[in-house]
Amino acid sequence: MSAEIAVDPDYYTLDKKVSADDDWKSDTTSLASEVARGRLENGRRYQSLKSEEYWSPSDDQQFEAYETGHLVALLLEYHQPKLLHRAPLKNPKNILDVGTGKGSWAIDMADAYPEATVRGVDLYPPPVNWMPPNCIFELDDLLQEWTWSEPFDFIYLRHMLGSFDEVGWNTLYKRCYDNLEPGGWIEEFELDVRVKTDDNSLPEDSELAKWGENFIGCSQRAGRPLNVQESMRSKIEKAGFIDVHEQVYKVPIGPWPRDRIYKEVGQLNYHHWVTGMEGYAMWLLTKFGAPTPWTADEVQIYLAKVRVELKDPRIHGWHYGRKIWARKPSEVEIKREPTEAPITPKSSP
């Protein structure tokens, strides 16, 4: 099912020459080169492993956004004993990072748990020159059959909004459940695309105020929902997970908060938006924009206006983040017939 990748950037250089007699020349080598080159569209590079198009680019600019998103997620947990996860892990042996992106979380987890094997899986190889010996990056479509020989103790997902349609999400959570050890944990962190304020500092007619609904509309037409932070809990519960925990965050955009930590979160998140927004917008708007698909030039003009609003110090914008962590029942719990479904509190929104 999966192709294990030893990530060596020199291997993927476009001008690499392979002689006719080279024993390494094969269909697999050709596929690896094609995957690394990706598919170019509107000046951005997209994955080419999966025939179905995926909305997020896989290029240096987007990897920079992934990295700042990783730092935002870590800093939001500054008061927790473990920055990388909230699930109560005990000597995990096998860890899976779904949609690893640049691979930062997988690398950090491999350092934190040197006795564990950490697999980072995505549709495009992460641009890394070094990784711990217990960290493995693989190219794979996780909606296909999973064929790893050992179950996982922990499966982690982050920034996956827009990755799948409704059927795909349910399939993925079922795959996670089936491939976890009894008692193993799943954890997911997602951000909302809608910008809010507590002090009415965001004008209703601004582009930033309409940003979220614009892209939620695009995602509905594309069949790839962006409201994942609102729906992931119910889907995780539907897959069979129990002991569900939830944490909601108000994530600032820009350095406007007075609190020192949240000021830094806001500064990082501003960079996350600025570096990532073209990647978030280009595919969706040029294919599913309203009332008709936009041109690439129209998208760039629109983004320029949004960037000006993002930098306006009078706007105290933020958006929701939500983290869910839940447990697969133990073997005893699986065998036991439940008499009543456990009730766990839900927070709003």
Side-chain angles (χ1 to χ4, degrees):
M1 158 218 150
S2 58
E4 193 168 309
I5 301 296
V7 182
D8 177 2
D10 291 335
Y11 178 80
Y12 293 115
T13 52
L14 300 187
D15 60 350
K16 182 177 177 63
K17 304 298 183 183
V18 182
S19 70
D21 296 328
D22 194 328
D23 289 337
W24 293 102
K25 185 176 182 180
S26 66
D27 291 340
T28 302
T29 304
S30 299
L31 175 61
S33 299
E34 180 182 343
V35 167
R37 280 194 288 268
R39 173 178 54 82
L40 297 178
E41 183 176 306
N42 292 320
R44 303 302 298 268
R45 182 182 63 204
Y46 296 82
Q47 67 83 25
S48 60
L49 178 67
K50 190 174 181 179
S51 58
E52 181 183 354
E53 291 184 358
Y54 177 52
W55 67 276
S56 181
S58 298
D59 54 23
D60 291 343
Q61 183 175 335
Q62 207 66 18
F63 284 129
E64 183 178 352
Y66 294 157
E67 181 64 17
T68 51
H70 173 63
L71 296 175
V72 167
L74 291 183
L75 201 53
L76 286 171
E77 302 291 353
Y78 74 96
H79 57 296
Q80 297 295 328
K82 301 284 188 180
L83 299 183
L84 292 166
H85 59 86
R86 295 290 289 274
L89 304 182
K90 296 181 180 179
N91 302 317
K93 297 302 180 185
N94 289 290
I95 298 171
L96 178 64
D97 181 18
V98 174
T100 193
K102 192 176 180 180
S104 300
W105 185 89
I107 290 171
D108 288 350
M109 281 293 285
D111 282 335
Y113 295 96
E115 300 302 316
T117 297
V118 182
R119 296 180 184 275
V121 180
D122 212 320
L123 296 173
Y124 189 87
V128 296
N129 296 317
W130 176 91
M131 69 195 83
N134 59 322
C135 183
I136 300 169
F137 290 118
E138 299 177 359
L139 304 182
D140 207 355
D141 176 4
L142 289 175
L143 296 186
Q144 302 301 314
E145 190 75 21
W146 292 18
T147 57
W148 286 294
S149 59
E150 296 185 22
F152 296 98
D153 304 293
F154 184 43
I155 297 178
Y156 186 73
L157 306 89
R158 185 177 66 192
H159 301 324
M160 296 289 289
L161 70 171
S163 297
F164 311 105
D165 59 19
E166 291 290 342
V167 173
W169 276 112
N170 290 328
T171 299
L172 178 65
Y173 290 131
K174 184 63 165 59
R175 293 258 193 275
C176 291
Y177 183 90
D178 291 343
N179 287 273
L180 273 170
E181 287 275 14
W185 289 83
I186 187 174
E187 182 169 326
E188 183 170 3
F189 174 68
E190 301 293 349
L191 295 169
D192 200 294
V193 296
R194 290 162 291 195
V195 181
K196 301 179 179 294
T197 62
D198 291 324
D199 56 2
N200 297 317
S201 59
L202 183 62
E204 293 183 3
D205 60 348
S206 65
E207 300 292 359
L208 193 55
K210 296 177 286 188
W211 172 275
E213 295 304 326
N214 184 10
F215 285 99
I216 286 176
C218 288
S219 71
Q220 289 171 343
R221 291 185 288 274
R224 293 174 174 269
L226 293 180
N227 61 338
V228 175
Q229 69 96 5
E230 295 177 329
S231 62
M232 61 184 180
R233 176 173 181 145
S234 63
K235 287 182 169 60
I236 287 172
E237 290 173 329
K238 180 181 177 181
F241 290 96
I242 63 172
D243 197 10
V244 182
H245 302 262
E246 180 172 1
Q247 177 69 51
V248 178
Y249 310 80
K250 293 169 69 172
V251 189
I253 308 170
W256 57 265
R258 294 182 179 179
D259 178 86
R260 180 180 62 85
I261 295 295
Y262 279 93
K263 183 180 289 292
E264 188 171 350
V265 170
Q267 184 66 51
L268 282 169
N269 198 29
Y270 167 78
H271 188 69
H272 180 217
W273 272 70
V274 169
T275 54
M277 62 194 310
E278 181 184 301
Y280 305 144
M282 187 62 73
W283 188 87
L284 284 167
L285 287 176
T286 58
K287 296 183 184 296
F288 300 99
T292 59
W294 299 19
T295 67
D297 287 343
E298 288 173 331
V299 174
Q300 294 293 1
I301 293 171
Y302 170 65
L303 293 177
K305 295 177 181 178
V306 175
R307 290 188 188 98
V308 170
E309 295 175 358
L310 277 173
K311 203 168 184 178
D312 188 339
R314 297 169 297 180
I315 297 177
H316 304 146
W318 55 269
H319 54 137
Y320 280 114
R322 191 182 303 266
K323 180 170 287 188
I324 301 289
W325 61 105
R327 179 172 57 85
K328 180 176 179 175
S330 66
E331 290 181 346
V332 172
E333 290 169 316
I334 292 173
K335 293 177 182 178
R336 184 190 307 147
E337 287 290 330
T339 56
E340 185 177 349
I343 300 175
T344 51
K346 291 188 178 183
S347 58
S348 59

